[in-house]
């Protein structure tokens, strides 16, 4: 068991010794990725908070933790208010709190591995009268007893049957980009970028099939990989082709002893300050750039798209079986809880071929719990139960050798009110409108976002999250650079990009609705001269017709629904086990009029 | 008559004397506004080109002119190819042309009055090995014989009955903004901002009812106006209230002899380098800022909106009479030309109450001429004529004491093809979709743009211009900061903003279509908690039902059209002169089923 009081006392003794007045403890680790391995959950060690975002400031006699709207309830349950003041990160920016609680010239310690150059620029301006101090070592790493050990599973070598392109070919293309931009090399710190580039996968982080590592790709297509050598399997050499040099993770620091005098592309937003400083000390000229793998990784090739299609059929089988099973339980008055529901779905998914794990923790939310966008029953003392006359929201996904899935369905539990039907149908209409748009080359997700919201807007309703995120191929379920949203990305959507289409609606303390399919971008054939794209659905599972408000659906909505459901039936039914499931799917996907 | 050869020879002698290797001659004048008074048409003096955008580079033995896609035909007709190489400004950026045609260290002269600090930053990077030289005087001003004289009409004092707010009140609000941003004053160089702030109008520039002047507003609400003193009418003092100091335009230069040591807000994008340098020399600290009048000017108050509504009814009377007249002419086989059509419309508009002039030169385009977005029959050797079986596009607007109008209608001349009807209907559906959207506070035009394009996109069609621009109140027909477009503004739409809603479609060498109304943003009342807006149409004139493809219209499209047409009939018919016109409007606005 965590002893937060003990941990904080130890931290404060260390701060006393080092003469540090305040310590900044962000959630992120040195890889700045969305999911952390357990050994890097430093914020949890210091506060007890298990959310996926947040930051703590620990002073000698006061401390606070800052979280966003998703975690305001959870943080109250998990964090000891005798030790921490609990604050909302937007209403009370933590840098303002530092200014209010520490006198000028106070020494504010931060770990350069856990922060970016962009963060330091910002912090230096906001805290200009403070002594912002880069720490040589992270005190939590020194003080953490029984810290979980790192995984040392070997890398998985993903064959070209799945990736569609050799690592050598990918490296050649990235090297061309480096050359054409007048640089010598690029630092690659995003774990999914390295996995994509080398056609490998790993098991170091829950849900993200990546290995903890970093690398440098050079303009001659060679690659320096820094990684725990225990993770290197037999055959990596021949798998990745020539010119991949493998170094122990700990030797990354030695770079600074060379005088390279080269231009290195460096992403100030996604790579940490510690590596930035190492390159600076080694005499590199760092050139602010986006990760050059990001865009080509996002544009899936035909083999990857085919893999995505295949795994979505298997995933659709699991989800359809699950939806059938729910209906059976409800019919026999068995109003099960969120935990059991999630376990059932996870287990159905795990039975599918090529399954490698979940792509994120299943969100299984009954009744009013679904009104919290990022609800997790695991953070609830007692998981909620299905209730008659309400709706159940399930957002889940799997990792398969041939792709990644992410689907949300909202399910009627008994008869639901007309208001719920209306809300659901407005969300579904937005889903259909975005899903069926045809758009010219150059269009970004930011331009398309309003298509998904327009019907809710008509009723003065909206949802407070993005409409779509990029999805990796047997990689991270959230990837850039594209996205659909109000504050969304201006990166044009391109052939082969996969995004989620997930409008929703949430009525506080009452219910939550989300309709989510993954789609991919493909060329739209037309007789005119322009270059146009459209989306094709990857996700294959029925939308709950019991939630439709028929009066709100136009003829073209109905054509879309019937076509989509026909595709679902044709692809999924053949892999169902028994006639009951097939019959259920038949009626769940039968045409509406 | 212009003698370009003579002018260029004189320019080159001057350059020889001053040791200038190349001279940059942009279209814009020292006010950097969209429309120029004749005495500032320096590009025309040097090249003969009359377009609204372009730039010339004159060297000792070569010269070139760069224009955009709108002017590629016109420039060929107007500019002597023996003197100028004619180039497309995007395909051949003029700075690249300088690099290709002048050796390093060449002295490149520019007039700091005609360029912004942002331009100089860019030019200094692009031409880093050149000797970019700020000129103390513009050689064209020295050499221009018979230069048109500046207008010296007195300022018009616009009463609070039209403006809805006193200048003092506006100045107090801007002063608050200056104070709250920690500055001492703001330089206001946009002419429409000064007009708005002082509740005055002028006659110095065609179509824009502004005076050539500039000003500084201070945090104590006082204002220093720099203007030709001949333009100051009796009663200005009491009109603008206390603390407006009036200086002769020529004394602006004297500012640099004071050591002000103040923080001045300065818009590096819209104010010129010459004034920037004056403030620098005077010891001001220039703070990069947007013009603080821009946003409040864009958000019209109730009095301004009521004025806009009123003038749009009168404008609608003129346009409706014009549309009736066209039908009469066509019915009597009188296929008149674009010049006569434009004159007729301009004259009908000029008969309306409170009319003060056109808000831009009428675009009157028959048949294939309308396929050129910014066609002007004045630049054509022979104006086009109406043709049976084609469409006529007319984009026009007026300045009235109580507001500004801008409307485009596309008119069937005889029976048109199904293809034209389909294209028109797709454009109209986009117009309706944008015009009827309800959207939450915080939404920008960039987010709404795809609503206007979606139906064209469905057919692989699109248009290569923005969908909407801001419009002033008895001020410039184009104003920021809001806008609707692909590259559009991210400024949220706010209560009282006026924008155009003008999707179009252009098929090269065949036809052009545009449906344009002005709309204003108002609160949308709903029972939910969110703060939502909607648009209300200002423009009152029928869309040509003969161009509708009924099969493409949904029930909600038809409701929109019938409601709009009913409003048009009710507001416009009572001011028509005779029964024939009323009958015509009755059928033009009768409901469709």
């Amino acid at each position: 068991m965590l002893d937060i009081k003990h941990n904080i006392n130890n931290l404060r003794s260390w701060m006393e010794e080092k003469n540090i007045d305040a310590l900044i403890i962000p959630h992120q680790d040195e890889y700045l990725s969305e999911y952390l391995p357990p050994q890097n959950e430093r914020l949890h060690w210091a506060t007890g908070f298990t959310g996926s975002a947040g930051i703590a400031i620990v002073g000698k006699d006061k401390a606070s933790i800052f979280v966003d709207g998703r975690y305001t309830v959870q943080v109250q349950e998990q964090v000891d208010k005798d030790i921490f003041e609990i604050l909302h990160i937007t209403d009370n920016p933590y840098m303002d709190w530092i200014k209010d609680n520490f006198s000028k010239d106070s020494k504010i310690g931060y770990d350069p591995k856990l922060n970016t150059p962009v963060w330091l620029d910002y912090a230096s301006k906001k805290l200009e009268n403070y002594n912002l101090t880069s720490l040589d070592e992270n005190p939590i790493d020194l003080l953490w007893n029984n810290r979980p050990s790192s995984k040392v599973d070997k890398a998985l070598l993903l064959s070209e049957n799945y990736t569609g392109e050799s690592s050598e070919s990918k490296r050649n293309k990235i090297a061309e980009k480096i050359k054409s931009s007048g640089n010598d090399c690029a630092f690659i710190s995003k774990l999914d970028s390295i996995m994509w580039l080398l056609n490998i996968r790993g098991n170091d982080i829950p849900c993200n099939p990546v290995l903890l590592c970093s690398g440098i790709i050079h303009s001659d297509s060679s690659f320096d990989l820094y990684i725990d050598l225990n993770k290197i399997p037999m055959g990596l050499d021949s798998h990745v082709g020539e010119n991949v040099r493998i170094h122990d993770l700990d030797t990354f620091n030695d770079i600074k002893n060379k005088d390279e005098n080269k231009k290195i592309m460096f992403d100030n937003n996604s790579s940490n300050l510690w590596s930035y400083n190492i390159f600076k000390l080694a005499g590199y000229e760092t050139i602010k750039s986006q990760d050059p793998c990001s865009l080509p990784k996002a544009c899936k090739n035909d083999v990857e798209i085919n893999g995505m299609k295949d795994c979505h059929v298997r995933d659709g089988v699991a989800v359809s079986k699950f939806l059938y099973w729910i209906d059976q339980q409800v019919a026999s008055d068995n109003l099960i809880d969120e935990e059991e529901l999630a376990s059932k779905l996870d287990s159905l998914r795990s039975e599918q071929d090529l399954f490698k794990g979940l792509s994120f923790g299943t969100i299984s939310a009954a009744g009013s719990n679904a009104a919290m966008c990022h609800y997790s029953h695991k953070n609830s003392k007692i998981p909620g139960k299905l209730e008659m006359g309400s709706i159940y929201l399930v957002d889940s996904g799997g990792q398969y050798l041939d792709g990644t899935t992410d689907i949300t369905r909202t399910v009627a539990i008994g008869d639901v009110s007309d208001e719920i039907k209306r809300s659901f149908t407005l969300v579904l209409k937005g889903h259909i409108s975005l899903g069926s748009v045809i758009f010219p080359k150059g269009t970004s997700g930011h331009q398309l976002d309003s298509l998904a919201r327009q019907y809710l807007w008509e009723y003065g309703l909206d949802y407070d999250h993005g409409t779509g995120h990029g999805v990796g191929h047997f990689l991270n379920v959230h990837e850039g650079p594209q996205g659909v949203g109000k504050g969304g990305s201006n990166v044009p959507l391109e052939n082969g990009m996969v995004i989620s289409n997930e409008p929703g609606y949430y009525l506080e303390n009452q219910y939550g609705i989300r309709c989510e399919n993954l789609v991919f971008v493909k060329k739209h054939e037309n007789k005119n001269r322009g270059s146009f794209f459209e989306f094709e659905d990857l996700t294959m599972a029925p939308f709950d017709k019991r939630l439709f408000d028929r009066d709100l659906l136009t003829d073209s909505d109905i054509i879309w629904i019937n076509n989509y459901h026909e595709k679902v039936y044709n692809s999924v039914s053949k892999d169902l086990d028994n006639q009951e499931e097939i019959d259920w799917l038949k009626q769940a996907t039968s045409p509406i009029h």
Side-chain angles (χ1 to χ4, degrees), chain A residues 545-562:
Chain A
K545 292 190 289 184
R546 296 166 297 190
L547 293 172
F548 292 4
D549 179 341
R550 177 63 189 80
D551 293 343
L552 291 173
L553 295 170
T554 62
D555 292 349
S556 62
D557 292 334
I558 287 170
I559 291 170
W560 187 94
I561 291 165
N562 290 344

Side-chain angles (χ1 to χ4, degrees), chain A residues 365-582:
Chain A
S368 61
N369 287 338
M372 293 175 270
C373 246
H374 288 82
Y375 173 76
S376 167
H377 59 274
K378 294 200 173 149
N379 298 325
S380 245
K381 278 176 190 152
I382 307 161
K385 286 188 176 193
L386 298 181
E387 292 164 48
M388 291 307 285
S390 79
I391 42 178
Y392 167 66
L393 184 152
V394 56
D395 186 354
S396 66
Q399 294 289 3
Y400 300 87
L401 271 182
D402 50 355
T404 301
T405 70
D406 182 1
I407 169 175
T408 309
R409 287 295 180 270
T410 310
V411 184
I413 307 302
D415 290 333
V416 301
S417 69
D418 289 346
E419 190 211 304
I420 287 181
K421 285 184 190 172
R422 189 194 71 180
S423 302
F424 177 86
T425 308
L426 296 175
V427 171
L428 182 65
K429 281 171 71 72
H431 178 92
I432 294 171
S433 180
L434 178 61
S436 51
V437 67
I438 293 160
F439 54 95
K441 195 171 165 59
T443 304
S444 71
H446 188 244
Q447 290 168 262
L448 300 180
D449 178 65
S450 58
L451 295 173
R453 300 182 192 267
Q454 57 184 321
Y455 304 103
L456 286 163
W457 286 356
E458 223 174 289
Y459 286 79
L461 309 175
D462 202 0
Y463 51 94
D464 194 16
H465 60 70
T467 302
H469 54 81
V471 178
H473 169 262
F474 183 24
L475 268 178
N476 297 357
V477 75
H478 295 149
E479 71 170 20
Q482 78 278 20
V484 182
K486 288 184 182 184
S489 158
N490 282 323
V491 173
L493 295 168
E494 288 188 31
N495 210 28
M497 280 182 172
V498 174
I499 58 162
S500 67
N501 171 2
E502 51 176 315
Y505 176 65
Y506 311 89
L507 186 58
E508 213 178 334
N509 299 320
Q510 300 209 39
Y511 58 85
I513 291 162
R514 192 154 66 247
C515 292
E516 179 189 23
N517 277 6
L518 297 193
V519 299
F520 70 95
V521 179
K522 65 176 194 181
K523 290 228 164 90
H524 170 72
E525 299 302 331
N526 70 71
K527 284 167 292 179
N528 300 300
R529 290 152 301 168
S531 182
F532 281 74
F533 294 119
E534 63 186 334
F535 297 123
E536 181 176 321
D537 281 293
L538 288 166
T539 302
M540 288 292 140
F543 290 101
D544 193 339
K545 292 190 289 184
R546 296 166 297 190
L547 293 172
F548 292 4
D549 179 341
R550 177 63 189 80
D551 293 343
L552 291 173
L553 295 170
T554 62
D555 292 349
S556 62
D557 292 334
I558 287 170
I559 291 170
W560 187 94
I561 291 165
N562 290 344
N563 283 344
Y564 176 68
H565 275 165
E566 190 184 345
K567 265 189 277 180
V568 170
Y569 182 78
N570 291 338
S571 57
V572 168
S573 60
K574 60 184 184 302
D575 291 322
L576 292 178
D577 296 331
N578 58 52
Q579 196 57 41
E580 284 77 23
E581 286 173 352
I582 295 171

